[in-house]
mmCIF file of all heavy atoms in Angstrom:
data_model
loop_
_atom_site.group_PDB
_atom_site.id
_atom_site.type_symbol
_atom_site.label_atom_id
_atom_site.label_comp_id
_atom_site.label_asym_id
_atom_site.label_seq_id
_atom_site.Cartn_x
_atom_site.Cartn_y
_atom_site.Cartn_z
ATOM 1 N N LYS O 260 0.975 -12.876 -9.078
ATOM 2 C CA LYS O 260 -0.424 -13.308 -9.049
ATOM 3 C C LYS O 260 -0.863 -13.741 -7.649
ATOM 4 O O LYS O 260 -2.013 -13.538 -7.276
ATOM 5 C CB LYS O 260 -0.631 -14.514 -9.991
ATOM 6 C CG LYS O 260 -0.577 -14.180 -11.460
ATOM 7 C CD LYS O 260 -0.775 -15.468 -12.247
ATOM 8 C CE LYS O 260 -0.673 -15.236 -13.735
ATOM 9 N NZ LYS O 260 -0.673 -16.516 -14.468
ATOM 10 N N LYS O 261 0.054 -14.365 -6.891
ATOM 11 C CA LYS O 261 -0.395 -15.080 -5.679
ATOM 12 C C LYS O 261 0.328 -14.728 -4.393
ATOM 13 O O LYS O 261 -0.089 -15.163 -3.326
ATOM 14 C CB LYS O 261 -0.257 -16.587 -5.894
ATOM 15 C CG LYS O 261 -1.022 -17.119 -7.069
ATOM 16 C CD LYS O 261 -0.677 -18.582 -7.303
ATOM 17 C CE LYS O 261 -1.043 -19.026 -8.693
ATOM 18 N NZ LYS O 261 -0.446 -20.338 -9.015
ATOM 19 N N SER O 262 1.430 -14.000 -4.462
ATOM 20 C CA SER O 262 2.173 -13.723 -3.244
ATOM 21 C C SER O 262 1.312 -12.993 -2.217
ATOM 22 O O SER O 262 0.441 -12.202 -2.573
ATOM 23 C CB SER O 262 3.402 -12.865 -3.562
ATOM 24 O OG SER O 262 3.923 -12.325 -2.361
ATOM 25 N N ARG O 263 1.585 -13.257 -0.947
ATOM 26 C CA ARG O 263 0.867 -12.559 0.131
ATOM 27 C C ARG O 263 1.154 -11.058 0.106
ATOM 28 O O ARG O 263 0.396 -10.266 0.639
ATOM 29 C CB ARG O 263 1.239 -13.161 1.484
ATOM 30 C CG ARG O 263 0.931 -14.659 1.540
ATOM 31 C CD ARG O 263 0.994 -15.221 2.945
ATOM 32 N NE ARG O 263 2.284 -15.075 3.578
ATOM 33 C CZ ARG O 263 2.547 -15.446 4.835
ATOM 34 N NH1 ARG O 263 1.590 -15.958 5.591
ATOM 35 N NH2 ARG O 263 3.741 -15.308 5.351
ATOM 36 N N ASP O 264 2.247 -10.674 -0.537
ATOM 37 C CA ASP O 264 2.585 -9.248 -0.642
ATOM 38 C C ASP O 264 1.495 -8.445 -1.356
ATOM 39 O O ASP O 264 1.334 -7.246 -1.104
ATOM 40 C CB ASP O 264 3.911 -9.068 -1.405
ATOM 41 C CG ASP O 264 5.093 -9.557 -0.602
ATOM 42 O OD1 ASP O 264 5.298 -9.083 0.535
ATOM 43 O OD2 ASP O 264 5.830 -10.439 -1.093
ATOM 44 N N ASN O 265 0.744 -9.108 -2.234
ATOM 45 C CA ASN O 265 -0.303 -8.391 -2.987
ATOM 46 C C ASN O 265 -1.332 -7.742 -2.084
ATOM 47 O O ASN O 265 -1.858 -6.670 -2.391
ATOM 48 C CB ASN O 265 -0.995 -9.347 -3.957
ATOM 49 C CG ASN O 265 -0.114 -9.690 -5.146
ATOM 50 O OD1 ASN O 265 0.310 -8.807 -5.878
ATOM 51 N ND2 ASN O 265 0.180 -10.970 -5.327
ATOM 52 N N GLY O 266 -1.633 -8.403 -0.963
ATOM 53 C CA GLY O 266 -2.615 -7.841 -0.048
ATOM 54 C C GLY O 266 -1.990 -6.992 1.047
ATOM 55 O O GLY O 266 -2.676 -6.530 1.956
ATOM 56 N N ARG O 267 -0.668 -6.764 0.956
ATOM 57 C CA ARG O 267 0.028 -6.101 2.050
ATOM 58 C C ARG O 267 0.621 -4.746 1.693
ATOM 59 O O ARG O 267 1.261 -4.118 2.535
ATOM 60 C CB ARG O 267 1.129 -7.042 2.572
ATOM 61 C CG ARG O 267 0.551 -8.321 3.136
ATOM 62 C CD ARG O 267 1.585 -9.289 3.636
ATOM 63 N NE ARG O 267 0.958 -10.475 4.232
ATOM 64 C CZ ARG O 267 1.595 -11.400 4.914
ATOM 65 N NH1 ARG O 267 2.907 -11.309 5.097
ATOM 66 N NH2 ARG O 267 0.960 -12.441 5.426
ATOM 67 N N THR O 268 0.425 -4.300 0.459
ATOM 68 C CA THR O 268 0.908 -2.970 0.124
ATOM 69 C C THR O 268 0.115 -1.947 0.941
ATOM 70 O O THR O 268 -1.057 -2.181 1.247
ATOM 71 C CB THR O 268 0.772 -2.670 -1.387
ATOM 72 O OG1 THR O 268 -0.595 -2.873 -1.761
ATOM 73 C CG2 THR O 268 1.684 -3.534 -2.229
ATOM 74 N N PRO O 269 0.723 -0.823 1.311
ATOM 75 C CA PRO O 269 0.024 0.151 2.145
ATOM 76 C C PRO O 269 -1.297 0.622 1.540
ATOM 77 O O PRO O 269 -1.432 0.765 0.317
ATOM 78 C CB PRO O 269 1.025 1.300 2.261
ATOM 79 C CG PRO O 269 2.361 0.627 2.142
ATOM 80 C CD PRO O 269 2.159 -0.461 1.135
ATOM 81 N N VAL O 270 -2.262 0.851 2.419
ATOM 82 C CA VAL O 270 -3.578 1.342 1.970
ATOM 83 C C VAL O 270 -3.412 2.710 1.313
ATOM 84 O O VAL O 270 -2.627 3.561 1.768
ATOM 85 C CB VAL O 270 -4.568 1.434 3.164
ATOM 86 C CG1 VAL O 270 -5.849 2.133 2.746
ATOM 87 C CG2 VAL O 270 -4.883 0.013 3.660
ATOM 88 N N GLN O 271 -4.134 2.887 0.222
ATOM 89 C CA GLN O 271 -4.001 4.088 -0.603
ATOM 90 C C GLN O 271 -5.027 5.132 -0.155
ATOM 91 O O GLN O 271 -6.171 5.132 -0.571
ATOM 92 C CB GLN O 271 -4.162 3.687 -2.073
ATOM 93 C CG GLN O 271 -3.024 2.772 -2.516
ATOM 94 C CD GLN O 271 -3.261 1.927 -3.743
ATOM 95 O OE1 GLN O 271 -2.663 0.846 -3.888
ATOM 96 N NE2 GLN O 271 -4.108 2.381 -4.648
ATOM 97 N N TRP O 272 -4.568 6.048 0.735
ATOM 98 C CA TRP O 272 -5.486 7.006 1.343
ATOM 99 C C TRP O 272 -5.749 8.237 0.477
ATOM 100 O O TRP O 272 -6.826 8.814 0.502
ATOM 101 C CB TRP O 272 -4.961 7.443 2.730
ATOM 102 C CG TRP O 272 -5.032 6.322 3.710
ATOM 103 C CD1 TRP O 272 -4.013 5.574 4.209
ATOM 104 C CD2 TRP O 272 -6.232 5.796 4.298
ATOM 105 N NE1 TRP O 272 -4.475 4.606 5.049
ATOM 106 C CE2 TRP O 272 -5.842 4.723 5.129
ATOM 107 C CE3 TRP O 272 -7.589 6.108 4.199
ATOM 108 C CZ2 TRP O 272 -6.773 3.971 5.865
ATOM 109 C CZ3 TRP O 272 -8.508 5.364 4.926
ATOM 110 C CH2 TRP O 272 -8.102 4.308 5.745
ATOM 111 N N SER O 273 -4.732 8.659 -0.254
ATOM 112 C CA SER O 273 -4.896 9.864 -1.070
ATOM 113 C C SER O 273 -3.881 9.858 -2.192
ATOM 114 O O SER O 273 -3.082 8.930 -2.317
ATOM 115 C CB SER O 273 -4.683 11.111 -0.191
ATOM 116 O OG SER O 273 -3.306 11.233 0.137
ATOM 117 N N ASP O 274 -3.867 10.939 -3.019
ATOM 118 C CA ASP O 274 -2.873 10.998 -4.104
ATOM 119 C C ASP O 274 -1.616 11.738 -3.655
ATOM 120 O O ASP O 274 -0.752 12.071 -4.471
ATOM 121 C CB ASP O 274 -3.482 11.645 -5.354
ATOM 122 C CG ASP O 274 -3.960 13.076 -5.111
ATOM 123 O OD1 ASP O 274 -3.778 13.586 -3.970
ATOM 124 O OD2 ASP O 274 -4.507 13.693 -6.047
ATOM 125 N N ALA O 275 -1.505 11.988 -2.330
ATOM 126 C CA ALA O 275 -0.283 12.606 -1.795
ATOM 127 C C ALA O 275 0.871 11.593 -1.857
ATOM 128 O O ALA O 275 0.626 10.405 -2.030
ATOM 129 C CB ALA O 275 -0.529 13.033 -0.348
ATOM 130 N N PRO O 276 2.120 12.044 -1.720
ATOM 131 C CA PRO O 276 3.240 11.107 -1.732
ATOM 132 C C PRO O 276 3.015 9.966 -0.723
ATOM 133 O O PRO O 276 2.429 10.189 0.340
ATOM 134 C CB PRO O 276 4.441 11.981 -1.308
ATOM 135 C CG PRO O 276 4.063 13.363 -1.730
ATOM 136 C CD PRO O 276 2.582 13.458 -1.576
ATOM 137 N N ASN O 277 3.486 8.746 -1.092
ATOM 138 C CA ASN O 277 3.270 7.551 -0.258
ATOM 139 C C ASN O 277 1.789 7.268 -0.046
ATOM 140 O O ASN O 277 1.399 6.616 0.928
ATOM 141 C CB ASN O 277 3.980 7.668 1.093
ATOM 142 C CG ASN O 277 5.491 7.532 0.960
ATOM 143 O OD1 ASN O 277 5.965 6.761 0.121
ATOM 144 N ND2 ASN O 277 6.223 8.279 1.755
ATOM 145 N N ALA O 278 0.948 7.769 -0.932
ATOM 146 C CA ALA O 278 -0.499 7.528 -0.886
ATOM 147 C C ALA O 278 -1.133 8.010 0.421
ATOM 148 O O ALA O 278 -2.197 7.544 0.803
ATOM 149 C CB ALA O 278 -0.817 6.050 -1.101
ATOM 150 N N GLY O 279 -0.453 8.946 1.111
ATOM 151 C CA GLY O 279 -0.998 9.442 2.377
ATOM 152 C C GLY O 279 -0.939 8.422 3.497
ATOM 153 O O GLY O 279 -1.450 8.671 4.593
ATOM 154 N N PHE O 280 -0.287 7.280 3.236
ATOM 155 C CA PHE O 280 -0.150 6.236 4.267
ATOM 156 C C PHE O 280 0.812 6.687 5.369
ATOM 157 O O PHE O 280 0.591 6.452 6.555
ATOM 158 C CB PHE O 280 0.343 4.939 3.606
ATOM 159 C CG PHE O 280 0.965 3.948 4.572
ATOM 160 C CD1 PHE O 280 0.160 3.239 5.453
ATOM 161 C CD2 PHE O 280 2.348 3.725 4.591
ATOM 162 C CE1 PHE O 280 0.736 2.324 6.342
ATOM 163 C CE2 PHE O 280 2.917 2.832 5.482
ATOM 164 C CZ PHE O 280 2.110 2.127 6.358
ATOM 165 N N THR O 281 1.883 7.359 4.962
ATOM 166 C CA THR O 281 2.886 7.865 5.898
ATOM 167 C C THR O 281 3.367 9.212 5.375
ATOM 168 O O THR O 281 2.910 9.675 4.332
ATOM 169 C CB THR O 281 4.052 6.843 6.053
ATOM 170 O OG1 THR O 281 4.922 7.291 7.098
ATOM 171 C CG2 THR O 281 4.848 6.681 4.758
ATOM 172 N N GLY O 282 4.276 9.858 6.108
ATOM 173 C CA GLY O 282 4.753 11.180 5.717
ATOM 174 C C GLY O 282 5.445 11.181 4.361
ATOM 175 O O GLY O 282 5.943 10.146 3.898
ATOM 176 N N PRO O 283 5.485 12.354 3.704
ATOM 177 C CA PRO O 283 6.038 12.429 2.333
ATOM 178 C C PRO O 283 7.527 12.116 2.245
ATOM 179 O O PRO O 283 8.002 11.666 1.215
ATOM 180 C CB PRO O 283 5.772 13.899 1.936
ATOM 181 C CG PRO O 283 5.509 14.630 3.203
ATOM 182 C CD PRO O 283 4.952 13.635 4.173
#
């Protein structure tokens, strides 16, 4: 509910592997 990790997951750019944040 409250960990700082909640706001730190990689931004979700697309439906590609790793959400398009980095290479597949």
Side-chain angles (χ1 to χ4, degrees):
K260 288 179 183 172
K261 302 173 199 167
S262 165
R263 302 193 300 177
D264 291 303
N265 286 302
R267 297 179 177 190
T268 54
V270 171
Q271 295 160 207
W272 291 106
S273 71
D274 61 2
N277 287 325
F280 160 73
T281 187

